[in-house]
Amino acid sequence: MENSTSHRLPCTSSLGPAFSTKVLYFAGSGALDHPCVILDSQVAATLRDTCKWDSLGDDGWPTSTYIRYCTLLERWAREESKQLGRRIGIDEIERWLFRP
């Protein structure tokens, strides 16, 4: 007898990279030194349209792209921290990029 669940997809199969980056971000519990930030279509659009960072593509970002994105935000946060004289978290940069 065939198991009725054998043909079902895992419940996470339809969750994309944007959801995964949210999980990674919230796992950091708001710690300033947590290296993960959210990357979704809205952030990608701001990076592409406002910042002219067009190497992201539109969707389906591989791990290597996410790492480059986090590294970029870390650099921007360091630069802004020096300019403003206070520590800026990478999530502050990500919130600016979200721009609803």
Side-chain angles (χ1 to χ4, degrees), residues 3 20 22 24-25 32 36 45 56-58 71-72 75 78 89 99:
N3 185 344
S20 299
K22 289 175 175 97
L24 290 172
Y25 172 73
L32 265 177
C36 298
L56 276 175
D58 292 326
T71 301
L72 174 68
R75 190 184 83 218
R78 278 192 312 274
R99 305 173 90 179

Side-chain angles (χ1 to χ4, degrees), residues 56-70:
L56 276 175
D58 292 326
D59 197 5
W61 308 286
T63 302
S64 59
T65 300
Y66 181 68
I67 291 169
R68 284 187 306 109
Y69 164 68
C70 290

Side-chain angles (χ1 to χ4, degrees), residues 35 37 39 43-44 46-48 51-56 64-80 89-91 93-94 96-97:
V37 285
L39 175 58
V43 169
T46 302
L47 283 167
R48 184 179 53 252
C51 304
K52 306 304 181 200
W53 200 57
D54 59 358
S55 64
L56 276 175
S64 59
T65 300
Y66 181 68
I67 291 169
R68 284 187 306 109
Y69 164 68
C70 290
T71 301
L72 174 68
L73 267 59
E74 286 172 0
R75 190 184 83 218
W76 285 352
R78 278 192 312 274
E79 291 170 0
E80 288 300 309
I90 60 175
D91 61 339
I93 306 294
E94 183 269 325
W96 179 84
L97 291 168

